[in-house]
Amino acid sequence: MDQTEAKNQIDALRTQLNHYNYHYYVLDNPTVSDFEYDQKMQELIRLEEQFPELRTEDSPSMRVGGEPLDAFEKVQHEIPMLSLGNAFSEDDLRDFDRRVREGLEIENVNYVCELKIDGLAVSLRYENGRFTQGATRGDGQTGEDITHNLKTIRSIPLRIDETDTIEVRGEAFMPQKSFIHLNEKKEENGEEPFANPRNAAAGSLRQLDPKIAAKRNLDIFLYAVGQWEAGTLSSHSERLKYLKELGFKTNPETKRCDGIEEVIDYVNSWVEKRPNLNYDIDGIVIKVDRLDYQEQLGYTAKSPRWAIAYKFPAEEVVTKLFDIELSVGRTGVVTPTALLEPVKVAGTTVQRASLHNEDLIQEKDIRIGDTVVIKKAGDIIPEVVRVLVDQRTEEQQPFRMPTECPSCGSELVRLEEEVALRCINPSCPAQLKEGLIHFVSRNAMNIDGLGEKVIQQLFEADYVHTISDLYRLEKDKLLELERMGEKSVDNLLRAIENSKENSLERLLFGLGIRYVGSKAARTLAEHFEEIDQLINASFDDFVAVDEIGEKMADSIVRYFSEQQVLELIDELQGLGLNMSYKGPKKSDQPEDSPFMNKTIVLTGKLEIYSRQDAKQQIEALGGKVTGSVSKKTDLLIAGADAGSKYDKAKQLDITIWDEQQLKEALESRG
Ligand code: IVH
């Protein structure tokens, strides 16, 4: 056989196999026997071995052929992968609808309702019609490249008929049957079973060797489009239809609903139908259908205003509370945790539940030895709902919090207006350990391989006491620790070394300054750019920054006035940690922009610009575009037929421009 002939045969086999595959895995409707499929696959593999120059990455034979990786590469999401706000009742849904209608100034909205699949959000990128990269959601900004594992999911097409670059998003999951089968096998082999299908799916996709994922029978439903410059469709439902046409698996239960009452009917119908599905869902996702409406509504810091997740009511179960454990957190707060007889709730076994603080224990009158009702709030976090008082005997005595720190023994204090008890000893070992766990965590320095167990080991071996000790760890010493092989030590040291290059906001968040969350850390880093600028800044400098309030400003000033903190920063700098902001800088933007630091609202019909375009241009010039008019609004751009936002702006005496004025302002910055 010559090469041309081989190429023709290979092409024909690939087309056939892709077709079979699509019918089997996407449509759930096989068109050939397994035998026939396997024969064709073997034939393809044989030809590709004979003519290696004809191998391509998107061949159906390549699904399991990949070599194990050494480590996961990080993937930056061009468009962040956000999460959703939650609704727990019909009232919450009606509130959501009201906010949407008010934001849009319209009477009735069409929504798309989708099952909320309980799996793992992933992003799939296609370039020139080929599947080129698959990634996890990660922290929403940065995920991990798991292309090798996603390729093993047969319902993910390796080729699509769309030449423009398109990134699609969806939920990878493990069907219940595969989960049961997998756990049976694990138990047969004496291995620890997975707690639920979600963990099993996550565990499978977080493997360096694709052969493992290939055996796990994962599946996927696609429900969103991320980056797609060339996209022209105007509603979410049209996009879903298009995804389906391209050969992606979309969920067949999705429904377009006219108004919130129809949504509520849909939601209620699934409370009953839910157990009949062969995959886990934890709620219903409700999305505004029209994309221009979505754009108009925009986003809060964490989630879109045009979508919400309805969470099914939590399952309640009864168990025994046999003890209350006390732990000391990063900021010295002593938290009581209920230790429970293990019970299964909403898919996982629960044996601990936070009791938060002394007040809550008193309020619910929780005592050691009680029989209690527990549930998982939002189906995730276990909590004690109430005590079954009639099951109580004389033995159960009211619980009292200790007066001394369970870690270092210093006297605990209750700060004014706080419900929490605190240990205020700055050298308390428990606090230092928790601080370190926070420092290496995903949104902070993001050091892989430094989980709680390893940190515990490092503490016990006396290798670390402070953050800076992490950067002084030595290979020989680490090798002496239990369960630490050459490879994991190398990986760990590399991850620690790499973290030195992190942009300032990660360090800032990692330091654990009170009230400074990851978002505020980013705002501060972006604004001050260098750690020295932050150290030297005054209370007034901080409150002058948008989104930094007085409480936070006060806390930052106090933090940087501590001698110990300044010494720590000096040490870290000496160890080679980057102390500068590396992201896009405000100073790169023209200073004389009329939009700089202004809050702007767009309303009415724009004719010169699309809303997206206007928004992007304004943002590029330092402005912030929001969805509704308030006292904080600096400028309203009113297109044709502007409605209540216009009236409100007038009332509040806010500057109003028409689109022509916007155009002039934008063009003068050209
Ligand atoms: S839409 C900005 N649709 O739920 C919109 N999410 O809390 C983002 N999920 O991270 C997501 N099924 O992992 C969407 N039909 C669905 C979903 C879904 C499951 C998950 C997803 C996301 C989380 C949102």
PDB file of all heavy atoms in Angstrom, residues 81-86 114-122 137 170-171 223-224 282 285 287 299 303-304 306-307 309 311, ligand 1:
ATOM      1  N   MET A  81     -13.860  32.038  34.549  1.00  0.00           N
ATOM      2  CA  MET A  81     -14.939  31.064  34.736  1.00  0.00           C
ATOM      3  C   MET A  81     -15.560  31.346  36.096  1.00  0.00           C
ATOM      4  O   MET A  81     -14.995  31.002  37.122  1.00  0.00           O
ATOM      5  CB  MET A  81     -14.396  29.638  34.665  1.00  0.00           C
ATOM      6  CG  MET A  81     -13.927  29.265  33.279  1.00  0.00           C
ATOM      7  SD  MET A  81     -13.328  27.571  33.160  1.00  0.00           S
ATOM      8  CE  MET A  81     -14.860  26.624  33.090  1.00  0.00           C
ATOM      9  N   LEU A  82     -16.713  31.985  36.077  1.00  0.00           N
ATOM     10  CA  LEU A  82     -17.305  32.449  37.330  1.00  0.00           C
ATOM     11  C   LEU A  82     -18.169  31.374  37.960  1.00  0.00           C
ATOM     12  O   LEU A  82     -18.465  30.361  37.347  1.00  0.00           O
ATOM     13  CB  LEU A  82     -18.163  33.681  37.053  1.00  0.00           C
ATOM     14  CG  LEU A  82     -17.384  34.841  36.454  1.00  0.00           C
ATOM     15  CD1 LEU A  82     -18.324  35.958  36.081  1.00  0.00           C
ATOM     16  CD2 LEU A  82     -16.330  35.332  37.432  1.00  0.00           C
ATOM     17  N   SER A  83     -18.586  31.635  39.196  1.00  0.00           N
ATOM     18  CA  SER A  83     -19.571  30.731  39.785  1.00  0.00           C
ATOM     19  C   SER A  83     -20.916  31.464  39.825  1.00  0.00           C
ATOM     20  O   SER A  83     -21.038  32.571  39.321  1.00  0.00           O
ATOM     21  CB  SER A  83     -19.128  30.284  41.163  1.00  0.00           C
ATOM     22  OG  SER A  83     -19.000  31.398  41.978  1.00  0.00           O
ATOM     23  N   LEU A  84     -21.906  30.835  40.431  1.00  0.00           N
ATOM     24  CA  LEU A  84     -23.246  31.419  40.395  1.00  0.00           C
ATOM     25  C   LEU A  84     -23.733  31.757  41.795  1.00  0.00           C
ATOM     26  O   LEU A  84     -23.374  31.092  42.762  1.00  0.00           O
ATOM     27  CB  LEU A  84     -24.220  30.413  39.784  1.00  0.00           C
ATOM     28  CG  LEU A  84     -23.992  30.046  38.324  1.00  0.00           C
ATOM     29  CD1 LEU A  84     -24.891  28.895  37.918  1.00  0.00           C
ATOM     30  CD2 LEU A  84     -24.271  31.251  37.437  1.00  0.00           C
ATOM     31  N   GLY A  85     -24.576  32.761  41.873  1.00  0.00           N
ATOM     32  CA  GLY A  85     -25.270  33.043  43.123  1.00  0.00           C
ATOM     33  C   GLY A  85     -26.306  31.949  43.356  1.00  0.00           C
ATOM     34  O   GLY A  85     -26.698  31.265  42.419  1.00  0.00           O
ATOM     35  N   ASN A  86     -26.748  31.791  44.598  1.00  0.00           N
ATOM     36  CA  ASN A  86     -27.668  30.701  44.912  1.00  0.00           C
ATOM     37  C   ASN A  86     -29.068  31.183  45.259  1.00  0.00           C
ATOM     38  O   ASN A  86     -29.234  32.258  45.816  1.00  0.00           O
ATOM     39  CB  ASN A  86     -27.150  29.908  46.106  1.00  0.00           C
ATOM     40  CG  ASN A  86     -25.906  29.131  45.750  1.00  0.00           C
ATOM     41  OD1 ASN A  86     -25.789  28.643  44.624  1.00  0.00           O
ATOM     42  ND2 ASN A  86     -24.986  29.031  46.682  1.00  0.00           N
ATOM     43  N   GLU A 114     -31.607  24.907  33.141  1.00  0.00           N
ATOM     44  CA  GLU A 114     -30.770  23.730  32.892  1.00  0.00           C
ATOM     45  C   GLU A 114     -30.563  22.968  34.188  1.00  0.00           C
ATOM     46  O   GLU A 114     -30.561  23.570  35.260  1.00  0.00           O
ATOM     47  CB  GLU A 114     -29.391  24.172  32.380  1.00  0.00           C
ATOM     48  CG  GLU A 114     -29.451  24.897  31.064  1.00  0.00           C
ATOM     49  CD  GLU A 114     -28.138  25.608  30.729  1.00  0.00           C
ATOM     50  OE1 GLU A 114     -27.127  25.364  31.412  1.00  0.00           O
ATOM     51  OE2 GLU A 114     -28.161  26.404  29.789  1.00  0.00           O
ATOM     52  N   LEU A 115     -30.362  21.677  34.064  1.00  0.00           N
ATOM     53  CA  LEU A 115     -30.020  20.908  35.257  1.00  0.00           C
ATOM     54  C   LEU A 115     -28.633  21.336  35.715  1.00  0.00           C
ATOM     55  O   LEU A 115     -27.760  21.577  34.892  1.00  0.00           O
ATOM     56  CB  LEU A 115     -30.019  19.409  34.942  1.00  0.00           C
ATOM     57  CG  LEU A 115     -31.322  18.860  34.378  1.00  0.00           C
ATOM     58  CD1 LEU A 115     -31.233  17.345  34.226  1.00  0.00           C
ATOM     59  CD2 LEU A 115     -32.504  19.226  35.288  1.00  0.00           C
ATOM     60  N   LYS A 116     -28.457  21.437  37.026  1.00  0.00           N
ATOM     61  CA  LYS A 116     -27.129  21.791  37.538  1.00  0.00           C
ATOM     62  C   LYS A 116     -26.385  20.494  37.826  1.00  0.00           C
ATOM     63  O   LYS A 116     -26.602  19.854  38.840  1.00  0.00           O
ATOM     64  CB  LYS A 116     -27.244  22.649  38.790  1.00  0.00           C
ATOM     65  CG  LYS A 116     -25.906  23.164  39.256  1.00  0.00           C
ATOM     66  CD  LYS A 116     -26.081  24.252  40.298  1.00  0.00           C
ATOM     67  CE  LYS A 116     -24.758  24.876  40.680  1.00  0.00           C
ATOM     68  NZ  LYS A 116     -23.815  23.932  41.249  1.00  0.00           N
ATOM     69  N   ILE A 117     -25.544  20.122  36.889  1.00  0.00           N
ATOM     70  CA  ILE A 117     -24.835  18.848  36.956  1.00  0.00           C
ATOM     71  C   ILE A 117     -23.774  18.936  38.053  1.00  0.00           C
ATOM     72  O   ILE A 117     -23.028  19.903  38.127  1.00  0.00           O
ATOM     73  CB  ILE A 117     -24.115  18.569  35.619  1.00  0.00           C
ATOM     74  CG1 ILE A 117     -25.016  18.897  34.429  1.00  0.00           C
ATOM     75  CG2 ILE A 117     -23.587  17.143  35.567  1.00  0.00           C
ATOM     76  CD1 ILE A 117     -26.186  18.034  34.251  1.00  0.00           C
ATOM     77  N   ASP A 118     -23.721  17.905  38.891  1.00  0.00           N
ATOM     78  CA  ASP A 118     -22.776  17.932  39.999  1.00  0.00           C
ATOM     79  C   ASP A 118     -21.473  17.264  39.579  1.00  0.00           C
ATOM     80  O   ASP A 118     -21.238  16.100  39.862  1.00  0.00           O
ATOM     81  CB  ASP A 118     -23.396  17.203  41.196  1.00  0.00           C
ATOM     82  CG  ASP A 118     -22.691  17.570  42.473  1.00  0.00           C
ATOM     83  OD1 ASP A 118     -21.838  18.483  42.447  1.00  0.00           O
ATOM     84  OD2 ASP A 118     -22.993  16.940  43.501  1.00  0.00           O
ATOM     85  N   GLY A 119     -20.671  18.020  38.871  1.00  0.00           N
ATOM     86  CA  GLY A 119     -19.388  17.483  38.412  1.00  0.00           C
ATOM     87  C   GLY A 119     -18.328  18.541  38.528  1.00  0.00           C
ATOM     88  O   GLY A 119     -18.239  19.209  39.553  1.00  0.00           O
ATOM     89  N   LEU A 120     -17.588  18.707  37.454  1.00  0.00           N
ATOM     90  CA  LEU A 120     -16.433  19.588  37.464  1.00  0.00           C
ATOM     91  C   LEU A 120     -16.475  20.493  36.249  1.00  0.00           C
ATOM     92  O   LEU A 120     -16.554  19.999  35.130  1.00  0.00           O
ATOM     93  CB  LEU A 120     -15.227  18.682  37.275  1.00  0.00           C
ATOM     94  CG  LEU A 120     -14.043  18.996  38.103  1.00  0.00           C
ATOM     95  CD1 LEU A 120     -14.290  18.389  39.467  1.00  0.00           C
ATOM     96  CD2 LEU A 120     -12.846  18.364  37.459  1.00  0.00           C
ATOM     97  N   ALA A 121     -16.439  21.812  36.467  1.00  0.00           N
ATOM     98  CA  ALA A 121     -16.496  22.714  35.315  1.00  0.00           C
ATOM     99  C   ALA A 121     -15.187  22.638  34.537  1.00  0.00           C
ATOM    100  O   ALA A 121     -14.110  22.669  35.123  1.00  0.00           O
ATOM    101  CB  ALA A 121     -16.732  24.137  35.792  1.00  0.00           C
ATOM    102  N   VAL A 122     -15.307  22.490  33.221  1.00  0.00           N
ATOM    103  CA  VAL A 122     -14.102  22.463  32.386  1.00  0.00           C
ATOM    104  C   VAL A 122     -14.299  23.355  31.163  1.00  0.00           C
ATOM    105  O   VAL A 122     -15.425  23.697  30.800  1.00  0.00           O
ATOM    106  CB  VAL A 122     -13.739  21.030  31.899  1.00  0.00           C
ATOM    107  CG1 VAL A 122     -13.423  20.131  33.069  1.00  0.00           C
ATOM    108  CG2 VAL A 122     -14.839  20.448  31.037  1.00  0.00           C
ATOM    109  N   ARG A 137     -11.507  24.495  35.858  1.00  0.00           N
ATOM    110  CA  ARG A 137     -11.876  25.856  36.201  1.00  0.00           C
ATOM    111  C   ARG A 137     -10.821  26.493  37.106  1.00  0.00           C
ATOM    112  O   ARG A 137     -10.530  27.670  37.002  1.00  0.00           O
ATOM    113  CB  ARG A 137     -13.229  25.835  36.912  1.00  0.00           C
ATOM    114  CG  ARG A 137     -13.624  27.147  37.499  1.00  0.00           C
ATOM    115  CD  ARG A 137     -15.040  27.087  38.034  1.00  0.00           C
ATOM    116  NE  ARG A 137     -15.396  28.373  38.571  1.00  0.00           N
ATOM    117  CZ  ARG A 137     -15.241  28.720  39.837  1.00  0.00           C
ATOM    118  NH1 ARG A 137     -14.750  27.866  40.695  1.00  0.00           N
ATOM    119  NH2 ARG A 137     -15.577  29.916  40.248  1.00  0.00           N
ATOM    120  N   GLY A 170     -18.406  23.388  30.048  1.00  0.00           N
ATOM    121  CA  GLY A 170     -19.433  22.464  30.492  1.00  0.00           C
ATOM    122  C   GLY A 170     -18.991  21.726  31.736  1.00  0.00           C
ATOM    123  O   GLY A 170     -18.000  22.084  32.370  1.00  0.00           O
ATOM    124  N   GLU A 171     -19.764  20.701  32.075  1.00  0.00           N
ATOM    125  CA  GLU A 171     -19.519  19.981  33.311  1.00  0.00           C
ATOM    126  C   GLU A 171     -19.131  18.550  32.979  1.00  0.00           C
ATOM    127  O   GLU A 171     -19.907  17.827  32.356  1.00  0.00           O
ATOM    128  CB  GLU A 171     -20.815  20.011  34.140  1.00  0.00           C
ATOM    129  CG  GLU A 171     -20.622  19.716  35.577  1.00  0.00           C
ATOM    130  CD  GLU A 171     -20.218  20.968  36.388  1.00  0.00           C
ATOM    131  OE1 GLU A 171     -19.935  22.028  35.792  1.00  0.00           O
ATOM    132  OE2 GLU A 171     -20.182  20.848  37.616  1.00  0.00           O
ATOM    133  N   TYR A 223     -22.548  23.579  28.396  1.00  0.00           N
ATOM    134  CA  TYR A 223     -23.639  24.519  28.667  1.00  0.00           C
ATOM    135  C   TYR A 223     -23.283  25.985  28.466  1.00  0.00           C
ATOM    136  O   TYR A 223     -24.060  26.856  28.831  1.00  0.00           O
ATOM    137  CB  TYR A 223     -24.189  24.306  30.080  1.00  0.00           C
ATOM    138  CG  TYR A 223     -23.136  24.289  31.175  1.00  0.00           C
ATOM    139  CD1 TYR A 223     -22.388  25.417  31.457  1.00  0.00           C
ATOM    140  CD2 TYR A 223     -22.909  23.139  31.930  1.00  0.00           C
ATOM    141  CE1 TYR A 223     -21.434  25.400  32.442  1.00  0.00           C
ATOM    142  CE2 TYR A 223     -21.957  23.113  32.921  1.00  0.00           C
ATOM    143  CZ  TYR A 223     -21.220  24.251  33.180  1.00  0.00           C
ATOM    144  OH  TYR A 223     -20.289  24.231  34.154  1.00  0.00           O
ATOM    145  N   ALA A 224     -22.109  26.254  27.944  1.00  0.00           N
ATOM    146  CA  ALA A 224     -21.768  27.670  27.759  1.00  0.00           C
ATOM    147  C   ALA A 224     -20.670  27.836  26.732  1.00  0.00           C
ATOM    148  O   ALA A 224     -19.927  26.902  26.440  1.00  0.00           O
ATOM    149  CB  ALA A 224     -21.313  28.275  29.082  1.00  0.00           C
ATOM    150  N   ASP A 282     -27.404  18.897  41.557  1.00  0.00           N
ATOM    151  CA  ASP A 282     -27.618  19.487  42.875  1.00  0.00           C
ATOM    152  C   ASP A 282     -28.516  20.711  42.801  1.00  0.00           C
ATOM    153  O   ASP A 282     -28.687  21.427  43.773  1.00  0.00           O
ATOM    154  CB  ASP A 282     -26.292  19.801  43.584  1.00  0.00           C
ATOM    155  CG  ASP A 282     -25.392  20.715  42.779  1.00  0.00           C
ATOM    156  OD1 ASP A 282     -25.673  20.917  41.581  1.00  0.00           O
ATOM    157  OD2 ASP A 282     -24.424  21.236  43.339  1.00  0.00           O
ATOM    158  N   VAL A 285     -29.976  25.480  37.086  1.00  0.00           N
ATOM    159  CA  VAL A 285     -29.377  26.774  36.749  1.00  0.00           C
ATOM    160  C   VAL A 285     -30.347  27.543  35.857  1.00  0.00           C
ATOM    161  O   VAL A 285     -30.869  26.983  34.894  1.00  0.00           O
ATOM    162  CB  VAL A 285     -28.024  26.604  36.022  1.00  0.00           C
ATOM    163  CG1 VAL A 285     -27.432  27.967  35.687  1.00  0.00           C
ATOM    164  CG2 VAL A 285     -27.065  25.795  36.874  1.00  0.00           C
ATOM    165  N   LYS A 287     -30.879  30.901  33.507  1.00  0.00           N
ATOM    166  CA  LYS A 287     -30.101  31.926  32.806  1.00  0.00           C
ATOM    167  C   LYS A 287     -31.017  32.802  31.959  1.00  0.00           C
ATOM    168  O   LYS A 287     -31.925  32.282  31.301  1.00  0.00           O
ATOM    169  CB  LYS A 287     -29.076  31.270  31.869  1.00  0.00           C
ATOM    170  CG  LYS A 287     -28.129  30.322  32.561  1.00  0.00           C
ATOM    171  CD  LYS A 287     -27.230  29.577  31.575  1.00  0.00           C
ATOM    172  CE  LYS A 287     -26.322  28.627  32.348  1.00  0.00           C
ATOM    173  NZ  LYS A 287     -25.566  27.717  31.487  1.00  0.00           N
ATOM    174  N   TYR A 299     -22.083  41.740  35.746  1.00  0.00           N
ATOM    175  CA  TYR A 299     -21.553  40.822  36.747  1.00  0.00           C
ATOM    176  C   TYR A 299     -21.315  41.507  38.074  1.00  0.00           C
ATOM    177  O   TYR A 299     -21.026  42.688  38.117  1.00  0.00           O
ATOM    178  CB  TYR A 299     -20.207  40.271  36.266  1.00  0.00           C
ATOM    179  CG  TYR A 299     -20.325  39.513  34.978  1.00  0.00           C
ATOM    180  CD1 TYR A 299     -20.357  40.186  33.760  1.00  0.00           C
ATOM    181  CD2 TYR A 299     -20.431  38.138  34.980  1.00  0.00           C
ATOM    182  CE1 TYR A 299     -20.496  39.494  32.560  1.00  0.00           C
ATOM    183  CE2 TYR A 299     -20.566  37.433  33.802  1.00  0.00           C
ATOM    184  CZ  TYR A 299     -20.604  38.121  32.592  1.00  0.00           C
ATOM    185  OH  TYR A 299     -20.751  37.421  31.442  1.00  0.00           O
ATOM    186  N   SER A 303     -20.063  36.654  40.319  1.00  0.00           N
ATOM    187  CA  SER A 303     -20.987  35.892  39.492  1.00  0.00           C
ATOM    188  C   SER A 303     -21.831  36.803  38.605  1.00  0.00           C
ATOM    189  O   SER A 303     -21.976  37.992  38.886  1.00  0.00           O
ATOM    190  CB  SER A 303     -21.893  35.069  40.414  1.00  0.00           C
ATOM    191  OG  SER A 303     -22.414  35.897  41.422  1.00  0.00           O
ATOM    192  N   PRO A 304     -22.397  36.197  37.558  1.00  0.00           N
ATOM    193  CA  PRO A 304     -23.224  37.011  36.672  1.00  0.00           C
ATOM    194  C   PRO A 304     -24.539  37.414  37.340  1.00  0.00           C
ATOM    195  O   PRO A 304     -25.067  36.662  38.155  1.00  0.00           O
ATOM    196  CB  PRO A 304     -23.499  36.077  35.494  1.00  0.00           C
ATOM    197  CG  PRO A 304     -23.244  34.706  35.977  1.00  0.00           C
ATOM    198  CD  PRO A 304     -22.307  34.798  37.121  1.00  0.00           C
ATOM    199  N   TRP A 306     -27.116  37.745  35.557  1.00  0.00           N
ATOM    200  CA  TRP A 306     -28.143  37.221  34.657  1.00  0.00           C
ATOM    201  C   TRP A 306     -28.396  35.726  34.853  1.00  0.00           C
ATOM    202  O   TRP A 306     -29.106  35.106  34.060  1.00  0.00           O
ATOM    203  CB  TRP A 306     -27.756  37.507  33.200  1.00  0.00           C
ATOM    204  CG  TRP A 306     -26.318  37.216  32.878  1.00  0.00           C
ATOM    205  CD1 TRP A 306     -25.291  38.117  32.861  1.00  0.00           C
ATOM    206  CD2 TRP A 306     -25.737  35.946  32.540  1.00  0.00           C
ATOM    207  NE1 TRP A 306     -24.109  37.488  32.547  1.00  0.00           N
ATOM    208  CE2 TRP A 306     -24.352  36.162  32.337  1.00  0.00           C
ATOM    209  CE3 TRP A 306     -26.239  34.654  32.386  1.00  0.00           C
ATOM    210  CZ2 TRP A 306     -23.481  35.133  31.989  1.00  0.00           C
ATOM    211  CZ3 TRP A 306     -25.371  33.628  32.044  1.00  0.00           C
ATOM    212  CH2 TRP A 306     -24.008  33.878  31.853  1.00  0.00           C
ATOM    213  N   ALA A 307     -27.805  35.161  35.883  1.00  0.00           N
ATOM    214  CA  ALA A 307     -28.041  33.730  36.120  1.00  0.00           C
ATOM    215  C   ALA A 307     -28.043  33.458  37.608  1.00  0.00           C
ATOM    216  O   ALA A 307     -27.483  34.219  38.392  1.00  0.00           O
ATOM    217  CB  ALA A 307     -26.960  32.890  35.437  1.00  0.00           C
ATOM    218  N   ALA A 309     -28.314  29.884  40.571  1.00  0.00           N
ATOM    219  CA  ALA A 309     -28.435  28.435  40.751  1.00  0.00           C
ATOM    220  C   ALA A 309     -29.445  28.168  41.851  1.00  0.00           C
ATOM    221  O   ALA A 309     -29.272  28.626  42.979  1.00  0.00           O
ATOM    222  CB  ALA A 309     -27.085  27.839  41.116  1.00  0.00           C
ATOM    223  N   LYS A 311     -30.780  25.707  44.482  1.00  0.00           N
ATOM    224  CA  LYS A 311     -30.261  24.508  45.133  1.00  0.00           C
ATOM    225  C   LYS A 311     -31.414  23.749  45.774  1.00  0.00           C
ATOM    226  O   LYS A 311     -32.224  24.348  46.486  1.00  0.00           O
ATOM    227  CB  LYS A 311     -29.253  24.899  46.219  1.00  0.00           C
ATOM    228  CG  LYS A 311     -27.996  25.560  45.694  1.00  0.00           C
ATOM    229  CD  LYS A 311     -27.114  24.536  44.991  1.00  0.00           C
ATOM    230  CE  LYS A 311     -25.755  25.087  44.625  1.00  0.00           C
ATOM    231  NZ  LYS A 311     -24.861  25.322  45.733  1.00  0.00           N
TER     232      LYS A 311
HETATM  233  S1  IVH B   1     -23.302  28.075  34.126  1.00  0.00           S
HETATM  234  C1  IVH B   1     -21.301  32.121  34.554  1.00  0.00           C
HETATM  235  N1  IVH B   1     -24.706  25.863  33.828  1.00  0.00           N
HETATM  236  O1  IVH B   1     -22.213  25.121  38.666  1.00  0.00           O
HETATM  237  C2  IVH B   1     -22.023  30.839  34.442  1.00  0.00           C
HETATM  238  N2  IVH B   1     -23.039  25.922  35.520  1.00  0.00           N
HETATM  239  O2  IVH B   1     -21.909  27.660  40.581  1.00  0.00           O
HETATM  240  C3  IVH B   1     -21.304  29.697  35.019  1.00  0.00           C
HETATM  241  N3  IVH B   1     -22.784  23.841  36.753  1.00  0.00           N
HETATM  242  O3  IVH B   1     -18.935  26.294  38.191  1.00  0.00           O
HETATM  243  C4  IVH B   1     -21.831  28.384  35.020  1.00  0.00           C
HETATM  244  N4  IVH B   1     -24.342  22.706  35.686  1.00  0.00           N
HETATM  245  O4  IVH B   1     -19.445  23.863  37.656  1.00  0.00           O
HETATM  246  C5  IVH B   1     -23.730  26.492  34.520  1.00  0.00           C
HETATM  247  N5  IVH B   1     -25.970  23.973  33.438  1.00  0.00           N
HETATM  248  C6  IVH B   1     -25.015  24.590  34.110  1.00  0.00           C
HETATM  249  C7  IVH B   1     -24.305  23.946  35.152  1.00  0.00           C
HETATM  250  C8  IVH B   1     -23.316  24.660  35.835  1.00  0.00           C
HETATM  251  C9  IVH B   1     -23.415  22.664  36.640  1.00  0.00           C
HETATM  252  C10 IVH B   1     -21.753  24.159  37.761  1.00  0.00           C
HETATM  253  C11 IVH B   1     -20.458  24.709  37.212  1.00  0.00           C
HETATM  254  C12 IVH B   1     -20.267  26.061  37.830  1.00  0.00           C
HETATM  255  C13 IVH B   1     -21.174  25.990  39.019  1.00  0.00           C
HETATM  256  C14 IVH B   1     -21.742  27.377  39.270  1.00  0.00           C
END
